[in-house]
Amino acid sequence: AGAAAAPPPRQSKLEPREELRVEVPPDASLRVRLVAGTAEIFGTELPPEGWVSIPPRSKIAIFSWHGATLELDGPTESEYPSVETPMVIYVNTHAILDARRARARAAAAQGGDLEASQGPRVIVVGPTDSGKSTLCRMLLSWAAKLGWKPTYVDLDIGQGSITIPGCISATPIEKPIDIVDGIPLEMPLVYFYGHPTPSINPDVYKVFMKELAKTLERQFSGNAESRAAGMVINTMGWVEGLGYELLLNAIETFKANVVLVLGQEKLWKMLKDAVQSKPNIDVVKLQKSEGVVLRNSKYRQKTRSFRIKEYFYGIANDLAPHSNIVNFSDVSVYRIGGGHQAPRSALPIGAEPVADPTRLVAVNISTDMIHTVLAISYAKEPDEIISSNVAGFIHVTDVDIQRKKLTYIAPCPGDLPSRLLIASSLTWYEA
Ligand code: ADP
């Protein structure tokens, strides 16, 4: 059967503080145009003229503060307006953060200490599908619109809004986030954990958080502007047990001073009690939007795979990755942690086997690696891998054991910038 006929272009009117919630189908994009008034998508204003192409699978809200007329062209899976949004609460939160940034900047100008010149470090927490990434995006775009350059930190290894899943990363946001292209990728700082869930090796997840925090701290100390703008930190939706512990760890590691809790009273209360001894952390409960679309684990698994594909092929499938071949001897692949510890029988009597979760294990290249993602480390020596960020990723397309050759695709042509590679459990299968 052919595709259903697309509906004709249509107009849609938004009252002040109303939003149109739209789901774009997986196989088509939707064009949106502002006809009159003003409107924004997750904090970024629609341009006054011209069509904007919303990519397939997007779930968005087009919100207007003062009223707008829109034109839509293309199919949607759902499309409905709502006046019940938490946007006023969100923008008020932004205003409070903005005042804190201004205070930090003023303190810096008067030669204030590091504490006084530090802008808000906001961490957004809540269960999956509470709208965390979306709120981060709005807070960042609103701040950038006012000229701030806040740092976005993404700790959500399950989805990954900066780069591929499995990473802990950060990037400065210098202008409102592009509606189509998303987070800018010019200079992200990326640490590669390599799995979509922290439970595989929580200690390594913590080590990478620490490394990232340390690097950001160093950058902030030399840059009053980004120090005053502060950070917005996105987290995982896992808020119980180990997930909760890691949240507390993140708050501490990044010295967060504003915790925004989305849509869960219990989590808010727990966090509030947990940090009450620290006077300068505000734990704030925020309403979640009813517009946030629930995604089941299968859907999330799919989006993960799409994120990996996007890295190589571009959001609009407009990039052509480069295929390349290396000899096994030209690269060294390592896995972090999970190595076999020495068996008890091999240890001196009385010694306990110590499992070092951050231990580096050299792995032999095998056909098991086909379809997996490898990260290219900036480390110069293997023992620096655990404290180094990564330059990018390759996707293994073939392994020829006999000829000892590995075939991969990369987004850029040319030789690998480093021979040290990190193995992962992230896969993507070319459809
Ligand atoms: P979380 O980060 O908590 O898992 P997200 O912010 O990623 O949740 O939101 C889940 C999905 O819902 C995303 O696809 C997002 O674009 C969509 N979404 C968020 N807010 C709205 C809204 N008001 N209307 C429509 N879709 C929304």
Side-chain angles (χ1 to χ4, degrees):
R10 56 225 178 258
Q11 288 211 340
S12 179
K13 232 176 140 67
L14 291 176
E15 296 299 318
R17 289 185 302 282
E18 187 176 32
E19 71 183 22
L20 182 68
R21 297 173 180 161
V22 181
E23 291 188 52
V24 185
D27 48 4
S29 56
L30 171 76
R31 298 198 309 152
V32 177
R33 186 169 74 94
L34 192 63
V35 177
T38 55
E40 59 183 52
I41 297 179
F42 300 151
T44 302
E45 280 186 90
L46 281 177
E49 269 163 24
W51 291 94
V52 175
S53 283
I54 312 291
R57 290 181 301 277
S58 303
K59 302 165 192 322
I60 54 151
I62 310 166
F63 177 87
S64 180
W65 291 105
H66 306 291
T69 306
L70 306 168
E71 192 166 76
L72 276 68
D73 179 20
T76 52
E77 281 179 340
S78 82
E79 185 178 325
Y80 71 97
S82 174
V83 286
E84 275 165 41
T85 78
M87 291 294 276
V88 171
I89 302 171
Y90 292 174
V91 86
N92 285 342
T93 308
H94 155 73
I96 292 167
L97 299 175
D98 189 50
R100 290 204 187 181
R101 292 184 181 110
R103 228 181 307 151
R105 182 161 61 191
Q110 289 158 11
D113 60 14
L114 282 182
E115 175 99 17
S117 59
Q118 172 62 61
R121 295 188 174 190
V122 186
I123 186 165
V124 179
V125 307
T128 22
D129 299 331
S130 53
K132 294 180 296 299
S133 321
T134 306
L135 178 60
C136 288
R137 211 175 159 122
M138 289 191 270
L139 294 175
L140 290 162
S141 288
W142 287 332
K145 191 181 165 190
L146 296 178
W148 298 107
K149 294 175 182 167
T151 300
Y152 180 39
V153 177
D154 194 2
L155 305 178
D156 185 2
I157 47 179
Q159 294 295 312
S161 38
I162 296 182
T163 179
I164 68 166
C167 298
I168 286 178
S169 46
T171 191
I173 302 296
E174 308 197 327
K175 50 184 201 274
I177 296 165
D178 189 274
I179 292 170
V180 180
D181 297 336
I183 311 282
L185 273 180
E186 285 100 56
M187 35 178 167
L189 188 57
V190 182
Y191 290 86
F192 190 56
Y193 168 75
H195 316 283
T197 155
S199 55
I200 293 179
N201 199 337
D203 289 303
V204 170
Y205 183 78
K206 284 189 205 163
V207 168
F208 281 141
M209 281 205 282
K210 214 175 259 163
E211 287 298 332
L212 176 56
K214 205 163 72 186
T215 307
L216 290 176
E217 213 67 71
R218 208 164 43 228
Q219 292 181 350
F220 282 165
S221 66
N223 185 336
E225 195 186 1
S226 60
R227 189 172 177 81
M231 329 179 183
V232 176
I233 307 168
N234 190 22
T235 61
M236 286 178 292
W238 187 17
V239 297
E240 269 141 29
L242 174 65
Y244 175 74
E245 242 176 74
L246 292 172
L247 279 184
L248 284 179
N249 199 275
I251 293 172
E252 201 176 317
T253 305
F254 290 92
K255 299 198 176 75
N257 48 25
V258 180
V259 184
L260 301 178
V261 188
L262 276 172
Q264 216 196 54
E265 184 91 23
K266 183 177 138 202
L267 179 63
W268 169 71
K269 184 81 176 72
M270 278 168 73
L271 288 171
K272 211 171 161 56
D273 292 347
V275 305
Q276 64 174 350
S277 59
K278 297 174 187 140
N280 37 17
I281 306 183
D282 294 315
V283 185
V284 183
K285 187 174 51 174
L286 291 181
Q287 186 192 329
K288 124 183 206 299
S289 168
E290 290 302 318
V292 176
V293 181
L294 300 182
R295 302 160 297 178
N296 59 27
S297 62
K298 195 166 157 217
Y299 182 93
R300 274 200 292 271
Q301 159 67 39
K302 245 192 176 150
T303 353
R304 261 204 289 281
S305 200
F306 274 119
R307 286 293 293 170
I308 299 175
K309 180 179 176 197
E310 261 172 33
Y311 176 81
F312 295 101
Y313 286 87
I315 290 184
N317 217 356
D318 52 349
L319 302 179
H322 300 264
S323 188
N324 232 325
I325 300 175
V326 284
N327 298 315
F328 287 4
S329 58
D330 292 338
V331 293
S332 307
V333 186
Y334 288 90
R335 192 180 52 215
I336 302 168
H340 302 291
Q341 57 197 49
R344 222 168 256 277
S345 59
L347 293 169
I349 292 170
E352 284 297 311
V354 262
D356 178 3
T358 61
R359 199 174 87 142
L360 214 57
V361 185
V363 286
N364 289 327
I365 297 174
S366 73
T367 48
D368 291 349
M369 262 176 212
I370 301 176
H371 303 305
T372 68
V373 171
L374 304 178
I376 308 158
S377 179
Y378 273 124
K380 301 237 160 41
E381 298 298 331
D383 61 358
E384 292 172 359
I385 286 181
I386 191 79
S387 57
S388 299
N389 53 322
V390 300
F393 310 95
I394 61 174
H395 182 249
V396 182
T397 50
D398 194 31
V399 170
D400 185 336
I401 298 288
Q402 231 143 54
R403 293 198 180 78
K404 298 195 183 331
K405 283 183 191 299
L406 178 148
T407 311
Y408 65 88
I409 55 169
C412 318
D415 291 339
L416 292 173
S418 155
R419 50 171 291 143
L420 297 180
L421 305 176
I422 312 172
S424 82
S425 64
L426 299 168
T427 51
W428 167 64
Y429 297 88
E430 199 140 6

